[in-house]
Amino acid sequence: MQVEVVKSKIHRVTVTGADLHYIGSITIDEVLMEASNIIEGEKVSIVNINNGERFETYAIPGPRNSGEICLNGPAARKVHKGDIIIIITYCIMDFEEAKSFKPSIVFPNEETNTLT
């Protein structure tokens, strides 16, 4: 049997931009992507703390140590600059393996979106 479990989580980061006319995705500071084990093009779930929106898109790396968290394309309509969001990825694994699996979870500084 296989189960779907949380693989990665960036807990409570501040949206720095929303670009409706970009092709799509979420731009995430590359340092945060590495720390949370999220790769370019990976499907991510977004939870907006401010308005309760939940949606999916894919991750693209932003400049290192920039603190950039920018929703692009249609997802830009679901957030406002300054909103607090949680970024989550999931993976499917064997049930027994999942029992001992530990996700990569990071807690950035909400004001700067950097790791302290």
Side-chain angles (χ1 to χ4, degrees):
M1 175 184 358
Q2 293 190 315
V3 294
E4 188 170 11
V5 298
V6 173
K7 179 185 87 58
S8 307
K9 182 176 177 184
I10 302 174
H11 190 75
R12 298 182 63 95
V13 287
T14 303
V15 173
T16 60
D19 185 355
L20 181 62
H21 301 290
Y22 188 80
I23 194 169
S25 68
I26 181 172
T27 304
I28 304 170
D29 181 323
E30 190 172 26
V31 170
L32 294 177
M33 286 181 66
E34 289 171 357
S36 61
N37 198 27
I38 296 174
I39 61 171
E40 183 172 358
E42 186 171 0
K43 179 178 167 180
V44 296
S45 294
I46 309 295
V47 180
N48 188 328
I49 300 298
N50 294 75
N51 64 18
E53 287 280 359
R54 299 176 75 93
F55 55 95
E56 296 175 337
T57 188
Y58 62 93
I60 59 172
R64 294 183 72 76
N65 296 308
S66 65
E68 184 174 5
I69 301 291
C70 183
L71 277 300
N72 305 306
R77 294 203 183 273
K78 306 245 182 217
V79 301
H80 294 305
K81 184 177 179 179
D83 283 357
I84 304 294
I85 64 171
I86 299 170
I87 304 166
I88 309 163
T89 67
Y90 301 89
C91 66
I92 296 172
M93 63 178 54
D94 177 74
F95 182 77
E96 290 303 319
E97 179 185 6
K99 287 180 180 180
S100 61
F101 178 76
K102 300 292 182 223
S104 299
I105 301 175
V106 296
F107 299 89
N109 177 308
E110 284 182 35
E111 294 178 18
T112 62
N113 291 341
T114 57
L115 300 174
T116 53

